[in-house]
């Protein structure tokens, strides 16, 4: 039985990614009309094909832009869609689109994440200024134009320090710098790269502890505590994230501290509505400190990990929140640990002629293995992976035991690297 057109609500998705395409099906299952604005440039960069996606059948209409990050073109497209069939809710899961969608949503009066809050969240030093003014987080930081300023900051805080783009995502351009020589090199690279560091070069105090993230929603002024995830990094390049496990193996007191802090952060930025991904360093003293606030749902395959761990369908919730529905807070009951490990080339290496056979993993690990994919980028050489966009492999594992879930994922990465004959990240 279909929902009558006059009672269906209209959900507009602004671009898509493989990991978040199941949201189309969730919106359709909830009885809504689904429209998608595609971005050909973004799809090419991510090597994804909408026509091959099994979730394309849940989209009622598609509009294609060459580049959805071009604000004028995006705005014109959204206004045209809204004129033809008023939009009731937006879903934007890609970092680069959250702010422009928020601005357009405010212009036409559709509920969405606050544009002012989203802009502040994405400009990392502005986010830190807001939190410091609210007394929530006082992590030291500065925006620099050259080495002398960066060195003065590092002399005051001590090494290591973190150098990163003032606005960016996917760990691209981020470095943990151990000493003055490395800082000089990092700042020189940054000043020469006015694309990655377009908004400025941010230098931050180095934080230690347990790297986690809070997955948290906000609907009608009520927070939805969804999960605390634990995250792993590569020891050769600490700024590179290599994986996640949902849920984090932390105690109830630590869990509450992380969630309390995440709520304070989201509230201080006045984000108002959405599902957010708040990256946090949980210190040995139990004190949470902000690493990064993302005003959108967790990315990549993490929504699927959430489901595998027993948290339920987060896309159903995503659509309902962005349609500004009343959503009752609930605490997910996880009964498994879902782990992902991503990997790329540790150093530049010749691109293998083919992907090796991977069926051994399913034979050996059975139901614990959910997915194992290896897909090489174009070109004759695999570039050194120093950001999330450089990964060519992914393994997803689910198990009732926390240590076993992580161990299986790491074993599979190691054996895949042996078959490839190259060292990989992770």
């Amino acid at each position: 039985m279909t929902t009558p057109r006059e009672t269906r609500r209209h959900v507009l998705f602004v671009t898509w990614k493989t990991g978040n395409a199941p949201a189309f099906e969730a919106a359709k299952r909830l009885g809504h009309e689904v429209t998608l604005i595609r971005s050909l440039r973004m799809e090419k960069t991510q090597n994804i094909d909408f026509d091959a996606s099994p979730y394309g059948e849940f989209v009622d209409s598609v509009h294609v832009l060459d580049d959805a990050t071009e604000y004028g073109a995006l705005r014109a497209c959204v206004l045209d869609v809204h004129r033809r069939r008023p939009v009731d809710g937006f879903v934007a899961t890609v970092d680069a689109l959250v702010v422009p969608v928020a601005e357009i949503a405010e212009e036409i009066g559709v509920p969405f994440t606050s544009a002012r809050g989203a802009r502040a969240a994405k400009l990392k030093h502005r986010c830190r200024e807001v939190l410091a003014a609210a007394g929530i987080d006082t992590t030291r930081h500065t925006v620099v134009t050259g080495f002398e300023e960066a060195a003065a900051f590092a002399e005051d805080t001590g090494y290591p320090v973190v150098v990163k783009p003032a606005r960016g995502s996917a760990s691209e351009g981020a470095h943990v710098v151990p000493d003055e020589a490395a800082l000089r090199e990092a700042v020189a690279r940054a000043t020469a790269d006015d694309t990655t560091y377009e908004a400025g070069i941010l230098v931050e105090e180095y934080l230690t502890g347990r790297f986690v993230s809070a997955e948290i929603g906000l609907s009608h002024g009520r927070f939805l505590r969804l999960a605390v995830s634990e995250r792993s990094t590569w020891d050769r390049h600490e700024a590179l994230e290599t994986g996640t496990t949902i849920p984090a193996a932390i105690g109830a007191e630590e869990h509450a501290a992380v969630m309390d802090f995440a709520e304070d952060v989201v509230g201080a930025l006045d984000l108002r509505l959405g599902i957010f991904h708040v990256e946090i360093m949980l210190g040995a003293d139990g004190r949470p400190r902000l690493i990064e606030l993302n005003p959108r749902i967790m990315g990549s395959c993490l929504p699927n990990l959430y489901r595998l761990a027993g948290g339920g369908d987060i896309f159903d919730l995503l659509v309902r929140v962005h349609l500004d529905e009343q959503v009752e807070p609930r605490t997910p009951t996880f009964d498994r640990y879902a782990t992902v490990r991503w990997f790329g080339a540790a150093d530049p290496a010749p691109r293998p002629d083919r992907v090796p056979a991977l069926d051994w993993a399913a034979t050996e690990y059975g139901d614990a293995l959910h997915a194992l994919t290896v897909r090489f980028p174009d070109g004759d050489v695999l570039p050194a992976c120093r950001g999330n966009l450089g990964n060519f492999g992914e393994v997803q594992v689910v198990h009732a035991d926390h240590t076993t879930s992580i161990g299986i994922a790491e074993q599979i990465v190691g054996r895949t690297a042996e078959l490839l004959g190259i060292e990989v990240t992770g």
Side-chain angles (χ1 to χ4, degrees):
M1 181 177 179
T2 59
T3 304
R5 178 180 174 88
E6 60 271 14
T7 61
R8 285 188 298 168
R9 305 190 74 192
H10 184 199
V11 184
L12 177 56
F13 289 82
V14 181
T15 72
W16 71 291
K17 296 188 293 186
T18 300
N20 290 329
F24 303 152
E25 189 274 334
K28 181 59 65 177
R29 178 169 20 92
L30 291 168
H32 303 309
E33 182 174 345
V34 177
T35 297
L36 169 67
I37 295 177
R38 293 176 54 191
S39 175
L40 296 183
R41 180 178 178 182
M42 193 171 294
E43 291 175 15
K44 182 178 181 180
T45 299
Q46 297 179 5
N47 195 22
I48 55 178
D49 181 0
F50 178 75
D51 293 329
S53 170
Y55 295 99
E57 65 176 289
F58 302 107
V59 178
D60 297 296
S61 58
V62 177
H63 300 260
V64 181
L65 297 178
D66 287 332
D67 182 3
T69 64
E70 203 288 298
Y71 185 80
L74 176 64
R75 179 180 177 274
C77 185
V78 171
L79 293 182
D80 181 60
V81 170
H82 187 59
R83 179 182 59 80
R84 296 169 183 266
R85 169 85 159 94
V87 175
D88 296 296
F90 288 95
V91 177
T93 60
V94 175
D95 280 310
L97 274 303
V98 174
V99 170
V101 169
E103 293 172 345
I104 296 168
E106 285 189 1
E107 177 184 346
I108 64 178
V110 175
F112 192 69
T113 304
S114 152
R116 181 173 63 90
R119 282 193 294 267
K122 293 308 299 174
L123 201 58
K124 301 179 196 301
H125 59 285
R126 176 57 185 152
C127 181
R128 292 213 178 277
E129 290 166 359
V130 171
L131 297 183
I136 295 169
D137 190 310
T138 56
T139 298
R140 289 172 290 180
H141 66 282
T142 187
V143 176
V144 304
T145 58
F147 170 73
E148 297 301 330
E149 294 169 273
F153 176 84
E155 183 177 352
D156 183 51
T157 60
Y159 287 95
V161 294
V162 179
V163 176
K164 63 172 69 169
R167 181 174 53 234
S169 59
S171 300
E172 297 295 326
H175 302 273
V176 175
V177 178
D179 54 38
E180 183 176 299
L183 179 62
R184 186 183 296 275
E185 182 181 341
V187 173
R189 284 198 301 266
T191 54
D193 182 356
D194 56 5
T195 299
T196 304
Y197 297 88
E198 179 185 11
I201 305 167
L202 180 62
V203 185
E204 294 180 339
E205 170 188 357
Y206 176 72
L207 303 178
T208 61
R210 252 186 117 168
F211 184 16
V212 300
S213 62
E215 321 305 339
I216 189 168
L218 179 58
S219 174
H220 289 269
R222 294 189 296 182
F223 284 102
L224 313 169
R225 296 187 170 192
L226 304 176
V228 175
S229 311
E230 63 184 70
R231 310 178 73 79
S232 63
T233 59
W234 187 35
D235 56 4
R236 275 186 52 188
H237 183 66
E238 195 176 342
L240 177 64
E241 297 177 30
T242 57
T244 297
T245 297
I246 301 178
I250 59 176
E253 186 174 334
E254 293 173 310
H255 185 279
V258 168
M259 284 299 190
D260 287 346
F261 177 76
E263 289 185 5
D264 288 344
V265 168
V266 170
L269 271 292
D270 192 28
L271 291 175
R272 300 184 190 173
L273 177 155
I275 296 180
F276 311 114
H277 176 67
V278 189
E279 298 184 358
I280 294 166
M281 187 66 75
L282 184 60
D285 59 357
R287 177 187 176 192
R289 306 276 292 276
L290 182 72
I291 295 178
E292 185 172 280
L293 169 59
N294 294 283
R296 44 84 179 158
I297 193 172
M298 53 186 163
S300 185
C301 66
L302 302 192
N304 188 53
L305 291 192
Y306 182 87
R307 179 187 63 81
L308 290 173
D313 185 353
I314 201 169
F315 291 121
D316 182 293
L317 181 65
L318 178 72
V319 171
R320 294 183 60 207
V321 166
H322 280 282
L323 283 170
D324 205 26
E325 296 181 8
Q326 292 280 355
V327 178
E328 290 299 321
R330 70 175 185 88
T331 302
T333 303
F334 297 106
D335 56 5
R336 297 175 295 279
Y337 293 92
T339 297
V340 62
R341 285 294 182 268
W342 302 294
F343 53 97
D347 298 296
R351 183 182 187 273
D353 295 333
R354 59 184 177 80
V355 174
L358 301 174
D359 51 355
W360 54 269
T363 301
E364 184 162 340
Y365 295 104
D367 292 341
L369 177 65
H370 179 74
L372 172 58
T373 57
V374 173
R375 185 169 57 188
F376 301 126
D378 293 335
D380 296 330
V381 176
L382 298 176
C385 179
R386 296 298 183 268
N388 296 351
L389 300 180
N391 293 312
F392 61 72
E394 175 182 291
V395 57
Q396 297 178 38
V397 171
V398 61
H399 199 278
D401 179 72
H402 170 263
T403 301
T404 304
S405 180
I406 294 173
I408 290 175
E410 292 179 346
Q411 289 168 22
I412 291 173
V413 171
R415 290 183 56 180
T416 303
E418 290 177 2
L419 290 174
L420 292 172
I422 63 174
E423 182 184 358
V424 301
T425 57

